[in-house]
Amino acid sequence: MDIIDLKILKLLSVDAEMPMKEIGDKCGINSPSAISKRIKKLKEQNVIKSIRAEVDYSKFGLNFLAVTFIKAKYKKNYTDLLSGKLLKISGIITLLEILGEIDFVIITLNKDQEAYKENMRYLMSLDEIDRTDTRVVIENFMLCDFSKIDISEEFNIKISKL
Amino acid sequence: MDIIDLKILKLLSVDAEMPMKEIGDKCGINSPSAISKRIKKLKEQNVIKSIRAEVDYSKFGLNFLAVTFIKAKYKKNYTDLLSGKLLKISGIITLLEILGEIDFVIITLNKDQEAYKENMRYLMSLDEIDRTDTRVVIENFMLCDFSKIDISEEFNIKISKL
Amino acid sequence: MDIIDLKILKLLSVDAEMPMKEIGDKCGINSPSAISKRIKKLKEQNVIKSIRAEVDYSKFGLNFLAVTFIKAKYKKNYTDLLSGKLLKISGIITLLEILGEIDFVIITLNKDQEAYKENMRYLMSLDEIDRTDTRVVIENFMLCDFSKIDISEEFNIKISKL
Amino acid sequence: MDIIDLKILKLLSVDAEMPMKEIGDKCGINSPSAISKRIKKLKEQNVIKSIRAEVDYSKFGLNFLAVTFIKAKYKKNYTDLLSGKLLKISGIITLLEILGEIDFVIITLNKDQEAYKENMRYLMSLDEIDRTDTRVVIENFMLCDFSKIDISEEFNIKISKL
Amino acid sequence: MDIIDLKILKLLSVDAEMPMKEIGDKCGINSPSAISKRIKKLKEQNVIKSIRAEVDYSKFGLNFLAVTFIKAKYKKNYTDLLSGKLLKISGIITLLEILGEIDFVIITLNKDQEAYKENMRYLMSLDEIDRTDTRVVIENFMLCDFSKIDISEEFNIKISKL
Amino acid sequence: MDIIDLKILKLLSVDAEMPMKEIGDKCGINSPSAISKRIKKLKEQNVIKSIRAEVDYSKFGLNFLAVTFIKAKYKKNYTDLLSGKLLKISGIITLLEILGEIDFVIITLNKDQEAYKENMRYLMSLDEIDRTDTRVVIENFMLCDFSKIDISEEFNIKISKL
Amino acid sequence: MDIIDLKILKLLSVDAEMPMKEIGDKCGINSPSAISKRIKKLKEQNVIKSIRAEVDYSKFGLNFLAVTFIKAKYKKNYTDLLSGKLLKISGIITLLEILGEIDFVIITLNKDQEAYKENMRYLMSLDEIDRTDTRVVIENFMLCDFSKIDISEEFNIKISKL
Amino acid sequence: MDIIDLKILKLLSVDAEMPMKEIGDKCGINSPSAISKRIKKLKEQNVIKSIRAEVDYSKFGLNFLAVTFIKAKYKKNYTDLLSGKLLKISGIITLLEILGEIDFVIITLNKDQEAYKENMRYLMSLDEIDRTDTRVVIENFMLCDFSKIDISEEFNIKISKL
């Protein structure tokens, strides 16, 4: 893997349908088939995990974005048990276990607070949960946008280390 | 827009490279070109905002995922000013303004805590910030995965309302 | 329902005994019986839920106004169970279930803190409650006054949407 | 003022349009004009402050009920200054100054969280405010209902004291 | 009871050994036996609950003054049970049940933190306690000094009401 | 100072008017004048700081007992400045500076919450205060009672050390 | 023990391999064997508890320094039980029981957050723990350095008291 | 560096005066001079940073161990400024900057709380500090003891990676 691969990844993470020709131009390689071969390899190595369509859910009235903090009850193996149950929450996008006084952070996207109430009822019925705390998003400045991660710089550091 | 479009969106949000033929089969439509036309229209309407490659950043040693809570200082127009500055944080993926005692939630992905320290120094230098509180992610169960949003059900509700 | 209905509602929510003639003048309709008919319809549609006398309880020494925050214990169906029990608190005016680290907000009006103590003892005996937190009101600037809700503007928006 | 007056107040606080005859029956007084005279006197003494129509705002899409906690900045006369400004918040129903770590509790009714955001921006621009904390209501069990206040019992105590 | 009684109480609450003559002079009554009679009556009415020597405990190395906050577990009758047990804490001076997120405030005076540790162990063994939180006093500006309560003014108000 | 002095102090701290004869009996010394001499010496050494009448303030309607927590603003010499101002609060009984997230604990006794409100306004006007938090006492189990301090045991330890 | 001993301790606590000659010079004693004898005595009296090598663990990639706050569940003898279990945490350096809302503070040194996660899982499995809260160290300004304790001054005070 | 070095470090971090012969026996190397050479090299590489005497400060009445949490005010370069000032606190042993709602954790050892009060006054005078929160240690289970870090295991992992 070299700096060309990094440039390709950067481009594809913003627009995975960019023509091989254009990618080649931006990377200073004028063989579209060489680009194609590199992409194929990046997929085989699982560096590219998938190609996905980014849908605008607000177009369908999914407007209730919420951040929920979970304090788990402490018991042997409760983390595994609980994370499994949390992944079933309706509209879940993100589930992270963090250090500190909160154990999990969840981001969910639902139609409205009425729809979210079902999540609340579900959470309150789980034995492994001590407390939940849900905060309503009033402005979404950036959600799940990886394009600001300057992978070429980061990758360079990595590569120069090898 | 109908139930077929919804099924297509669902499929593409998981795998945007699925062959037209396969999509057609799953939607009960055996004309790949009809599927193709529908996708084109969904793109034109910006229902599909983009097609992106999902990169596995952990492959490059980007292992320090953190959730940062920001309390802003209160002043006229500080939200706009501050959100603009927060979007410049290195490795930022998500920036949400929420109701409650915290004003912003940020998710960042950096190489390690040393790299994150620069973010801390930057945040502490901003006049618009009262307090920050950063929690380190110790387990990433799900990050920015929209495939669990059952759009067909949600969209149906929406459609049946029209 | 039209803008005239909205104006009538606005007037009645402040003074439900305003003469039909006066209402008519303020709405630009000089038929008291037309106003009367409209009000009757608003009642039938339950837009007007009731006509109530607003009593000045401070005249009777009911001076201990308190806001109580409740954290519920989490268990299946506890919300329903608990809300039923909370509605029996002496002097209760308002009971809201909210998102966040507190589950319920209660407003009560009692004679004095001695009288309120019975509520405390009752709350502490309920199995469904984890913690309570009561704050004493030292100045009541506005309590349950709906006259500042600019219904005509809000309703217009609604109406223009239909 | 006697026990009859108390019974009348109790009845009117639930239904101010109850016929004099029916009120009389329930109070054991079979002279509608005597009831009428008593009510007139209660109004003159401002024991009955007003007669108001209770409107069902949810019928007009006013669905975003929120409880906001305010921490004021401490300065001479800030309470008066701030309370004046808080009373101008759109959709405000209740404003109480309380003892404890929060200074004010506000209840507001708005169309949706987008509409509430304007309130947030307004609050954040006020010099007299240190922090706000807004909690979204997900279930409204009781809002501004004074009928559960057992005035006859309370009033009796009061009367027996005189 | 009159203004003379109030003046006497004020004087005795600071120095209970003041000679009758001196008290009389300060109250404008030149009959020591009249003063004596009044004091006797104030004792009979339990307005004066006791005459006590105020000891300087710091002279004996009792230097560890602490304020302890207790959160009780909630159960029927736990307040009575718990308060009884808290009154047995070594060195306890004050025990108050308060409204808010803390249930009890305790002030204790012990020899040193080693001595206080026994209290901690005792508190942690009580079933009725959820959490304790002890704060060490680093400066004692005023402890149990009632002489600043301006009883004559307060009592006047009271008396003028009768 | 010996064990006899300690017994005398213990007795006087509960009842400073106990006859010399009775004190002598309880201490195993049958010379009232010897007791008298010892007490005189304890006063000269300021071990007995004063003899005070304990007044029952609730008899005069002083019913609003409150515990106030103060967070000071941090500045050079603010502690001295602020403590001086806090000692002027109406009805103050106790003022302690403590370690932890709260800087001062104050106990006050006032007529009612209306009277306390003046304290609140005063506190909010002080430049040296960041936040206040007042908790209302709903049950007074013990207030400023030093009789539970087992001085004889404590003093013995002290004495045996000399 | 005298001022010479104190100077010796001060020197050895920074460099325990300093030659006797050099120690003597710094203490104004030109007999190395006298110094040697003093050190021997300080060891016998356990004033010097041990001589230890200070290892630079960062040289071996032990970079994840964390501060963990523990809230214990309250039960008879839980402190002893729990402290015993906490001392088994991997990489533990410091374990202190403190007064306040947190019961224990722990400092640990581990390879990375992945390694620390095992500690988290262990802590969450302990019955005696209510909550943990772990904070990651981003800058280590001083860790376990006793050289700033000005023992000679402190010891002098002590000595002058004897 | 090999497994023998690790064993040596482990032994010296507990007892730096262990005879070469004994170290050799425990490491399976019967040449004291070889051990000696290895130790010399470890010192040259700064793996062994120093050899220090561990003093028992409690022998000198240094009994007030405290953990202090600092919230800094946020401003450009305040971390450097503040850390410099914090390192001057009397009796400081440890100063760590952490992520989360607290910025610094400090451990100090002083004679008593009176001595600590000077630290408090110093901290309160620093412009760069927003709040401090000090917790008194009531039991010291382990303080700055690195012997539980299983360096041989950790180092092996490290070594096997090279």
Side-chain angles (χ1 to χ4, degrees), chain C residues 14-68:
Chain C
V14 177
D15 177 7
E17 297 185 318
M18 188 178 283
M20 295 301 143
K21 175 79 179 69
E22 191 179 340
I23 295 173
D25 288 353
K26 295 194 172 182
C27 298
I29 291 203
N30 59 14
S31 155
S33 72
I35 296 295
S36 193
K37 226 183 282 178
R38 279 170 177 269
I39 292 175
K40 201 173 155 237
K41 202 177 156 201
L42 288 167
K43 284 178 181 171
E44 282 163 9
Q45 293 171 328
N46 272 320
V47 175
I48 294 173
K49 290 190 292 184
S50 67
I51 306 291
R52 295 179 170 225
E54 192 196 3
V55 176
D56 182 354
Y57 295 99
S58 73
K59 286 251 159 62
F60 299 89
L62 287 170
N63 284 317
F64 193 79
L65 193 61
V67 181
T68 301

Side-chain angles (χ1 to χ4, degrees), chain F residues 24-75:
Chain F
D25 288 353
K26 295 196 172 183
C27 297
I29 291 201
N30 57 18
S31 155
S33 72
I35 296 296
S36 192
K37 224 182 286 176
R38 280 170 178 269
I39 291 175
K40 199 172 157 239
K41 202 177 157 202
L42 288 166
K43 284 179 180 170
E44 284 164 8
Q45 293 170 327
N46 271 322
V47 175
I48 293 173
K49 288 190 292 186
S50 66
I51 306 291
R52 295 181 170 223
E54 191 194 4
V55 176
D56 182 354
Y57 295 100
S58 73
K59 286 250 160 61
F60 301 89
L62 287 171
N63 284 318
F64 193 79
L65 193 60
V67 181
T68 301
F69 307 132
I70 304 278
K71 291 189 188 186
K73 271 187 204 135
Y74 282 4
K75 270 213 191 134

